[in-house]
Amino acid sequence: GLHDESRGDSSSSCKSSGYCFEDYYQPWYAGRYKSVEDVSSYWRNNYDRLRDASVTFRDCFYDTTLPDEVIEAVSANLSILKAPTILRQTDGRLWCWEGCHDDRGSCEGSCTHVWNYAQSLPHLFPNLERSLRQTEFHEGQADNGHQAFRVPLPIRDSVHEKYAASDGQLGGIIKVFRDWRISGDTGWMKALWPLVKKSLGYCIETWDPNHKGVLEEPHHNTYDVEFWGPDGMCSSIYLSALKAAILMGEAIGDDIAFYKEILDKGVLFLENELFNGEYFVQKIQWQGLRAGDPTKVHALAGDAYSSPEAVELLRKEGPKYQYGTGCLSDGVLGAWLAAVSGVEEFLDPDKVSSHLRSVHKYNLKKDLSKHSNPQRPTYALGREGGLLLCSWPRCAELSLPFVYSDEVWTGIEYQVASHLMLQGYVEEGLEIVRTCRDRYDGRVRNPFDEYECGHWYARAMSSYALLQGLTGIVYDAVGKVLTVAPKISGDLRAFISTAAGYGTVVVRDDKVSLEIKSGEIKIKRIDYVPYSVGAWKGK
């Protein structure tokens, strides 16, 4: 379906924002079919073939030994791919909302930092996912490397008057690496490489001008705020992007010594300056930065410090809307993005595991009856459970932390759960999944609509990573290598989808085989790492 709002029809807000124009946008189906009669004719003539293909996919996906709650979490959120959240132009490229309101789209422009989390699309429809990279690095990117984290509809050159989103722009570099390995198309990666370097160069000089390996200058992120000073969340994404760039540069013979130097510094900084012995934190900084005095009116601060009380709080705690010493569920997001994208590990796995276990310990609440959340409590409330975005277990909460800190987002829950599983903490991950799906059991909430800022919210497609989290199944189309490293014992049957085909990976008596159900999956080598109790767990 296509909402009128997405075409700009009678919407003053849409027209004034410049993000959609009724005179130009046409959906993909309007370019392929002449009329609705053509659509119905195609449907009638191809019904048997289409139904057979759907049944084959369904039967393959559900032919698995994985826990029910995981399969439900993954499959239920595939509904987003059919929702009005995703639009497609006549040229075949995607343009996406973050979610959907009842009568219009919610948060326009294929928002890069929200779509960082979504893992279903790149595996099931990799060509469509790569169209988002095309937009980010062409229409969305200026000559100086600045990326607009929201692009117009119809897709065209963006206006570069606002700040960039650090997590979204850096995440795009990681996703180029991921999409290259999924597609096996090295020519595609090479064509984007000059633009990737330009983007990374902008990120370095804008947020890490002293080349410390962390984002020090104020940097915008998915919480709709700017973090001042280095933090585990965005700086881990930075390091992951550097690692991805190093691997791509090496593959095509480019000089990546500068990236290696910054990466090494950043790893030392995160592990020694931002790790408090349990989890990674933020080192709030607002003095001595190029951004200048946050009490002055500028693009980042607006009039946030117009009162004496606000200035006093700034001098005591730092700028508004930080997380400081809090335990952030997204606190090592870059390590997760690296893991699910095939980027080699760069942080101490013991410290990463410690952070994730701390998130499980402090942020997972089985009963929210006594939890105060004045922002958007309907995501999880009352006797329901959920994973809070942040907590402050070691000291008092900031007076004005980032505004969403008390909320529960399913996309973050699945991100943490799948990352815990990848680190060997399967039961902890499953507990988070069960807690989430208990809320979406059909009695109060639609089990096919895990809403955030709108229905069918894209971030919930982080649930697809649960498949990798439990099975360790990764297919690298460049080297044609299938990796199987299960985090659960016993025989295994699990779904795998690649750019060229899909099927079932089977582990029986510690031997791996592949049953292809559609297309082809060329394999030169299988790397099998048998399950071993405790082998995946950090100290």
Side-chain angles (χ1 to χ4, degrees):
L2 177 67
H3 290 307
D4 286 344
E5 190 77 8
S6 68
R7 295 196 296 266
D9 304 12
S10 67
S11 167
S12 59
S13 62
C14 181
K15 292 175 181 176
S16 64
S17 71
Y19 278 103
C20 42
F21 293 88
E22 58 183 330
D23 295 335
Y24 302 110
Y25 172 68
Q26 279 191 318
W28 175 79
Y29 56 79
R32 178 169 180 177
Y33 302 102
K34 293 180 180 179
S35 65
V36 69
E37 287 78 16
D38 274 357
V39 176
S40 62
S41 176
Y42 179 86
W43 174 254
R44 287 194 304 271
N45 294 334
N46 292 274
Y47 176 82
D48 290 341
R49 177 180 61 83
L50 294 171
R51 187 181 187 283
D52 288 347
S54 297
V55 169
T56 300
F57 173 83
R58 179 200 66 192
D59 291 348
C60 180
F61 181 84
Y62 286 106
D63 179 17
T64 182
T65 57
L66 298 184
D68 291 344
E69 59 268 35
V70 167
I71 297 304
E72 181 182 277
V74 176
S75 60
N77 285 302
L78 295 184
S79 62
I80 299 165
L81 297 175
K82 291 286 288 180
T85 298
I86 299 179
L87 308 184
R88 192 180 183 191
Q89 289 194 154
T90 52
D91 64 359
R93 284 197 283 172
L94 294 188
W95 184 96
C96 308
W97 303 101
E98 294 180 25
C100 296
H101 295 310
D102 290 343
D103 60 350
R104 64 192 187 278
S106 171
C107 305
E108 73 288 326
S110 308
C111 182
T112 55
H113 50 221
V114 169
W115 281 86
N116 268 350
Y117 295 79
Q119 300 301 317
S120 306
L121 190 63
H123 291 279
L124 297 176
F125 299 100
N127 288 339
L128 295 180
E129 176 70 31
R130 285 195 290 161
S131 76
L132 295 175
R133 304 293 86 72
Q134 175 79 12
T135 298
E136 290 165 13
F137 287 91
H138 287 90
E139 287 88 349
Q141 184 163 304
D143 289 340
N144 68 350
H146 172 282
Q147 278 190 4
F149 61 93
R150 301 186 188 276
V151 297
L153 179 71
I155 298 170
R156 61 193 184 278
D157 288 343
S158 301
V159 176
H160 296 274
E161 295 177 347
K162 294 183 69 176
Y163 42 79
S166 61
D167 48 354
Q169 183 157 344
L170 289 163
I173 296 169
I174 305 166
K175 289 181 284 189
V176 169
F177 178 88
R178 178 198 64 194
D179 297 347
W180 167 45
R181 308 308 290 194
I182 288 175
S183 69
D185 191 344
T186 300
W188 173 82
M189 184 272 284
K190 284 184 177 179
L192 275 184
W193 176 243
L195 299 173
V196 168
K197 289 197 298 182
K198 190 172 288 187
S199 173
L200 184 52
Y202 176 88
C203 295
I204 292 170
E205 297 310 317
T206 301
W207 299 307
D208 182 24
N210 296 316
H211 304 163
K212 295 182 179 179
V214 289
L215 303 188
E216 195 170 49
E217 295 288 325
H219 42 286
H220 192 71
N221 58 74
T222 197
Y223 300 123
D224 299 324
V225 297
E226 286 68 45
F227 285 157
W228 291 68
D231 65 279
M233 172 185 166
C234 295
S235 288
S236 66
I237 300 174
Y238 179 32
L239 298 184
S240 181
L242 285 166
K243 186 66 177 181
I246 290 168
L247 295 172
M248 288 186 284
E250 287 176 339
I252 60 177
D254 207 346
D255 182 9
I256 38 78
F258 180 49
Y259 300 156
K260 285 185 175 180
E261 178 185 343
I262 298 178
L263 175 64
D264 291 343
K265 290 180 181 178
V267 169
L268 288 174
F269 195 104
L270 254 71
E271 294 183 352
N272 294 305
E273 301 293 329
L274 297 185
F275 187 72
N276 68 2
E278 275 190 295
Y279 52 87
F280 291 90
V281 298
Q282 177 195 15
K283 189 175 182 179
I284 299 174
Q285 180 181 350
W286 58 276
Q287 295 174 313
L289 299 178
R290 293 187 184 183
D293 188 343
T295 64
K296 307 300 181 185
V297 176
H298 59 77
L300 291 172
D303 61 354
Y305 303 100
S306 57
S307 69
E309 293 84 1
V311 174
E312 181 181 354
L313 186 61
L314 165 71
R315 303 197 182 283
K316 180 182 178 182
E317 296 186 358
K320 297 179 180 180
Y321 312 137
Q322 310 302 296
Y323 71 94
T325 59
C327 180
L328 185 70
S329 290
D330 265 342
V332 285
L333 180 59
W336 178 76
L337 284 170
V340 298
S341 301
V343 178
E344 295 172 2
E345 197 169 58
F346 56 90
L347 282 177
D348 182 344
D350 289 342
K351 290 183 171 63
V352 171
S353 293
S354 179
H355 179 93
L356 294 168
R357 285 183 285 121
S358 297
V359 168
H360 175 267
K361 176 181 178 180
Y362 297 124
N363 295 4
L364 180 61
K365 306 298 181 183
K366 304 310 288 285
D367 186 327
L368 293 166
S369 299
K370 297 182 180 180
H371 173 66
S372 175
N373 174 21
Q375 183 75 9
R376 293 177 292 191
T378 57
Y379 298 161
L381 76 167
R383 293 182 180 178
E384 296 174 325
L387 188 77
L388 303 180
L389 296 190
C390 197
S391 66
W392 282 263
R394 288 195 167 198
C395 59
E397 180 177 339
L398 293 169
S399 300
L400 290 173
F402 71 96
V403 291
Y404 305 136
S405 58
D406 290 320
E407 295 183 355
V408 172
W409 298 354
T410 69
I412 310 300
E413 288 178 306
Y414 293 137
Q415 177 267 122
V416 172
S418 58
H419 204 179
L420 276 164
M421 293 171 182
L422 284 166
Q423 296 295 118
Y425 294 91
V426 171
E427 285 306 315
E428 291 84 346
L430 288 175
E431 187 178 12
I432 294 174
V433 175
R434 294 185 194 113
T435 301
C436 176
R437 291 307 300 176
D438 282 348
R439 297 197 308 273
Y440 286 91
D441 63 358
R443 291 180 297 176
V444 176
R445 293 178 175 81
N446 183 346
F448 303 98
D449 176 14
E450 296 179 14
Y451 65 96
E452 193 186 308
C453 189
H455 302 291
W456 303 296
Y457 198 81
R459 202 188 316 261
M461 286 190 285
S462 61
S463 63
Y464 194 90
L466 296 169
L467 299 179
Q468 181 183 344
L470 283 176
T471 67
I473 294 174
V474 178
Y475 177 70
D476 182 348
V478 176
K480 296 178 175 56
V481 177
L482 174 65
T483 299
V484 182
K487 310 303 187 297
I488 49 180
S489 60
D491 292 346
L492 172 72
R493 294 184 66 86
F495 177 75
I496 181 175
S497 180
T498 75
Y502 66 83
T504 303
V505 173
V506 180
V507 178
R508 182 174 297 158
D509 298 328
D510 274 341
K511 294 181 180 179
V512 179
S513 62
L514 177 62
E515 300 174 0
I516 299 175
K517 300 299 183 180
S518 178
E520 61 178 5
I521 305 175
K522 296 181 179 179
I523 297 176
K524 290 184 177 179
R525 189 179 79 244
I526 295 178
D527 290 344
Y528 174 52
V529 183
Y531 170 81
S532 177
V533 177
W536 297 99
K537 295 189 176 183
K539 296 177 182 177

